[in-house]
Amino acid sequence: MISIFIIFAIFILYIINNLTNSLCIVKEIPEERQPKVFRTINILITILLFSSYIEILYT
């Protein structure tokens, strides 16, 4: 179960990073702000994935 969820999480993070890159390009976010945008979105998605795993684990 955990291996399937880890593969799913990596796939989701990859897709979200591609979408974040597209967002930065479309909104013309400056290069110096882009790492902060990526970091914030990755942290929030990781928290979401972790809480989803805990919910699946205990239900």
Side-chain angles (χ1 to χ4, degrees):
M1 170 88 173
I2 192 167
S3 61
I4 294 171
F5 196 83
I6 289 173
I7 292 170
F8 173 73
I10 291 171
F11 177 72
I12 293 296
L13 282 171
Y14 177 75
I15 295 298
I16 294 297
N17 279 327
N18 282 340
L19 291 172
T20 304
N21 189 34
S22 297
L23 173 74
C24 289
I25 292 170
V26 169
K27 293 295 183 178
E28 298 176 355
I29 297 174
E31 289 287 326
E32 59 272 358
R33 287 192 56 212
Q34 286 184 12
K36 185 176 181 182
V37 172
F38 274 94
R39 188 178 317 115
T40 302
I41 291 175
N42 282 335
I43 288 171
L44 293 173
I45 294 298
T46 303
I47 291 169
L48 180 66
L49 288 168
F50 185 72
S51 64
S52 299
Y53 178 72
I54 296 299
E55 183 177 344
I56 290 171
L57 189 66
Y58 290 113
T59 56

